[in-house]
């Protein structure tokens, strides 16, 4: 017998004894895994300081990048991307950055990692809402664009927003896989519910995970931030009471013909809250309409529905006085200029600003500049080649700048530093 075998024989009883000292009757507890690399990508290049007008941040889903553009130089003939920087936690696999939001002080910004990119390698990724691996919320420094924090959340992160004081993030999860899996085994619609993550923006830790509805996507806060309104694939708006220690959820069907999570008839996807009345305008893809939720009664008012006929409404933006809602809609590739006071009036159809002649395909979001002179518009493209970013002169109602960005861009945010 060799020395190695003798040693193994001698150590075996000790190993068995050590195992016997542990309690193995309960379930195995596995700690939650987190990425252990602080900087998965090389340090981004140094960029000029952010100017007074601000810096545009665009998430490019299908190539794991952010497009950065400076508004201060928009007058130059060759205006375009200042830089296109990588983002994510895994450099060897596409992760699908999906939506972003900027902290109120401009010191940082946050990006959702959805893990849903089709054909992205070995990971359990799929089409939008069809990923099976957990997502993340990333925190990046606005001056250096370096990762400074992250938190693991549920699969298929959808939208992400921040409170006015910058302390809390709200992130939804557009989990269509969960709906399909529960339906396949004959489960209930409540079992299809996904959660909204409530995140401490300073520590990047989860404060709460609130079950809200099947495949929640857009989330916006009420004017007093006591409620969160969420567009749900199940033909509902979920209303989350944030004042309670354990937030409660009320769900409201968006129409009398509302369907289910498995068979929605309206498909609420985005929503916009009026800055003056607090009214909630819901963008529904299948019904091709913008539906209205009264913020006082928390009921839908079908008399105020705006039908967009040939296109599906997406993420819009209000003017500060609440008198105009600029609503992009796909299919037509245009921005509808909605007067909320005219919504639902017989024969009313809002005027529009065409985007297709400027190369826009699958418009996704509109955000107004602070002076409300321009609309910043992101268009997804065909999800194979580059998408486009457009600047619209709102007075002239025309596109004045067009820039190619990354593949499948899906959000635009304006980064501004406080003096």
């Amino acid at each position: 017998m060799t020395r190695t075998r003798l040693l193994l024989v001698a150590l075996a009883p000790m190993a068995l004894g050590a195992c016997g000292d542990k309690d193995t009757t309960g379930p195995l507890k596995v700690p939650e895994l987190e990425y252990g690399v602080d900087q998965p990508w090389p340090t981004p290049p140094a960029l000029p300081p952010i100017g007074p007008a601000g810096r545009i941040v665009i998430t490019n889903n299908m190539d794991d990048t952010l497009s950065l553009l400076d508004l201060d130089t928009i007058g130059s003939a060759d205006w375009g991307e200042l830089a296109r920087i990588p983002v994510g936690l895994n450099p060897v696999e596409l992760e699908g950055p999906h939506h972003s939001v900027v902290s109120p002080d401009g010191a940082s910004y946050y990006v959702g990692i959805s893990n849903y990119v089709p054909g992205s390698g070995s990971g359990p990724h799929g089409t939008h809402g069809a990923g099976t691996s957990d997502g993340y919320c990333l925190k990046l420094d606005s001056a250096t664009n370096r990762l400074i924090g992250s938190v693991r959340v549920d699969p298929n992160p959808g939208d992400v927003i921040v409170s006015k004081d910058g302390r809390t993030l709200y992130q939804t999860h557009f989990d269509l896989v969960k709906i399909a899996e529960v339906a396949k085994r004959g489960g209930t619609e409540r079992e299809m519910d996904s959660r909204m993550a409530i995140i401490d923006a300073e520590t990047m830790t989860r404060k709460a995970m609130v079950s809200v509805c099947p495949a929640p996507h857009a989330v916006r806060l009420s004017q007093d931030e006591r409620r969160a309104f969420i567009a749900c694939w199940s033909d509902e708006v979920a209303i989350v009471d944030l004042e309670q220690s354990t937030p409660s959820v009320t769900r409201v069907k968006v129409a009398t013909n509302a369907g289910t999570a498995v068979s929605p008839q309206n498909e609420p996807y985005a929503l916009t809250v009026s800055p003056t009345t607090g009214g909630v305008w819901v963008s529904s893809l299948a019904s091709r309409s913008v539906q209205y939720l009264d913020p006082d009664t928390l009921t839908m008012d079908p008399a105020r529905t705006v039908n967009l006929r040939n296109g599906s409404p997406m993420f819009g933006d209000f003017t500060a006085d609440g008198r105009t809602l600029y609503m992009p809609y796909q299919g037509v590739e245009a921005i509808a200029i909605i007067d909320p006071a005219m919504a639902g009036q017989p024969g009313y159809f809002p005027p529009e600003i065409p985007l297709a002649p400027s190369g826009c395909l699958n418009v996704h979001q509109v955000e107004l500049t602070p002076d409300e002179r321009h609309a910043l518009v992101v268009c997804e493209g065909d999800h194979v080649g580059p998408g486009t970013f457009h600047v619209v002169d709102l007075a002239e109602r025309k596109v004045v700048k067009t820039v190619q960005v990354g593949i499948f861009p899906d959000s635009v945010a304006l980064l501004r530093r406080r003096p």
Side-chain angles (χ1 to χ4, degrees), residues 233 235 264-268 283-289 309 311-313:
W233 196 248
D235 279 359
Q265 301 302 302
N266 295 268
E267 297 178 356
S283 299
S284 292
L285 304 183
S287 61
R288 296 183 171 183
S289 61
R309 296 190 290 206
S312 296

Side-chain angles (χ1 to χ4, degrees), residues 229-276:
F229 298 102
I230 304 171
C232 305
W233 196 248
S234 50
D235 279 359
E236 296 171 300
V237 174
I239 305 162
V240 184
D241 186 341
L242 299 173
E243 287 194 292
Q244 301 182 31
S245 56
T246 301
S248 63
V249 180
T250 302
R251 285 156 59 163
V252 179
K253 288 291 185 180
V254 296
T256 55
N257 72 331
T260 65
V262 175
S263 182
Q265 301 302 302
N266 295 268
E267 297 178 356
Y269 186 75
L271 47 79
T272 315
V273 175
S274 169
T276 53

Side-chain angles (χ1 to χ4, degrees), residues 42 44 78 92 95 130-131 142 165 301-302 318 336 415:
D78 59 348
V92 299
E95 299 167 276
S142 62
D165 62 11
D301 184 354
F318 266 101
L415 181 59

Side-chain angles (χ1 to χ4, degrees), residues 71-137:
L71 268 182
D72 289 270
T73 58
I74 193 172
S76 60
D78 59 348
W79 187 73
E81 287 181 314
L82 175 69
R84 188 181 300 178
I85 61 173
V87 66
L89 294 169
N90 187 351
V92 299
E93 189 169 286
L94 292 175
E95 299 167 276
H98 184 67
H99 287 207
S100 65
V101 67
V102 174
S103 64
D105 64 3
S108 56
Y109 60 97
Y110 306 88
V111 177
I113 294 296
S114 62
N115 285 331
Y116 73 81
V117 179
S120 61
S122 60
H125 301 165
T127 55
H128 190 189
T132 57
S133 60
D134 284 347
Y136 282 81
C137 185

